[in-house]
Amino acid sequence: MLSIPQKIQINRQQFISLRSRLSARLITQQSQVFFKEAREEALKQGAKEIGSAFLKLVTFRDFDNLEADFGFFTEKPMRTNGPFKAGSLPAADYIQASWRGPYERMRDIHVLIIQWANEAKLTIDSTRDEKGLHFGCLLNVFRICDLSEPDSSKWETDILFRLKKWKPGEAVEPFVQALPLPRPPQGK
C-alpha cells in the first residue's frame, strides 16, 4: 500500500555507504552483501547508533544500467575508508511517500511519485546527460525490510525525492523526465 506523497523537510543526516553499478534485477542480491559490509564498517568506526538501511539511486540510464549507494544512516560522521563513502545528506525539502509491501513494485511506485510531483508542480532535483538521469537525491529508506523481516507484506519503505531549490526570480519548471510508465498489474 502506498501513502499519499507529501512535501517534507529533512535535517542533515550522516551516512556510510558502498557504491555499485548494476542492473535493477541485482539490487536485492547486492543489498544483502553491501548492507552487511556497510554496517560492519560503521561499527568498526565506532558508530553507537546505526539507523535505517537505504538505497540511494545516483544515476539511471535504463533498468540494466544503474548506479546506486547502499548504506546506513549514522549518528556521527564516518570516515571514507577504501571502497566506503562517508558523508551527509544536506537538509532540504523532499517529496516523501511510504510503501508497505514487496519490492517488485518499487519501480512503479517511483513513477507514481514522479507523476504526483509533476501534477503538484514540484521539481525533483536532477540533471540529464549522455550517461543518463542523475538524481540530486532519490532514497529508498528501509524501515522494515528483508534484513529483519522475512514476510514481504510487512516491509516498509520510505521513498524520498529531493526537490530542486530555486533561486529568487528563477522560473519554476516541473520534473517531466519521468521514468517509463508503470506496468499494469499482472492478472492471476
Side-chain angles (χ1 to χ4, degrees), residues 16-149:
I16 189 160
S17 66
L18 285 163
R19 182 163 290 178
S20 179
R21 290 193 174 140
L22 68 159
S23 168
R25 67 181 178 276
L26 298 176
I27 288 175
T28 301
Q29 293 88 344
Q30 289 288 126
S31 67
Q32 295 295 319
V33 174
F34 285 165
F35 286 147
K36 181 178 186 258
E37 291 179 11
R39 183 179 188 79
E40 288 173 358
E41 180 64 20
L43 291 170
K44 184 174 147 186
Q45 289 191 31
K48 303 267 185 274
E49 293 181 32
I50 298 174
S52 296
F54 68 85
L55 180 143
K56 180 178 180 246
L57 183 59
V58 178
T59 303
F60 174 87
R61 185 173 193 127
D62 57 47
F63 291 101
D64 288 322
N65 296 291
L66 308 173
E67 186 173 15
D69 291 336
F70 297 81
F72 285 93
F73 294 112
T74 60
E75 89 284 4
K76 68 176 198 168
M78 299 281 103
R79 293 180 318 277
T80 296
N81 182 18
F84 296 98
K85 178 181 176 189
S88 63
L89 297 176
D93 289 333
Y94 285 76
I95 296 170
Q96 177 190 21
S98 297
W99 168 250
R100 185 177 177 115
Y103 302 139
E104 53 265 357
R105 296 290 312 223
M106 198 63 71
R107 173 187 123 169
D108 298 339
I109 299 305
H110 287 169
V111 173
L112 292 171
I113 296 168
I114 289 168
Q115 290 171 339
W116 181 90
N118 286 339
E119 289 174 18
K121 300 201 181 327
L122 297 171
T123 305
I124 292 170
D125 185 7
S126 66
T127 58
R128 184 180 287 280
D129 62 19
E130 68 282 348
K131 293 180 182 176
L133 181 59
H134 310 276
F135 289 97
C137 190
L138 187 174
L139 288 172
N140 290 331
V141 180
F142 305 106
R143 301 287 177 206
I144 300 173
C145 65
D146 55 347
L147 297 174
S148 61
E149 172 58 59

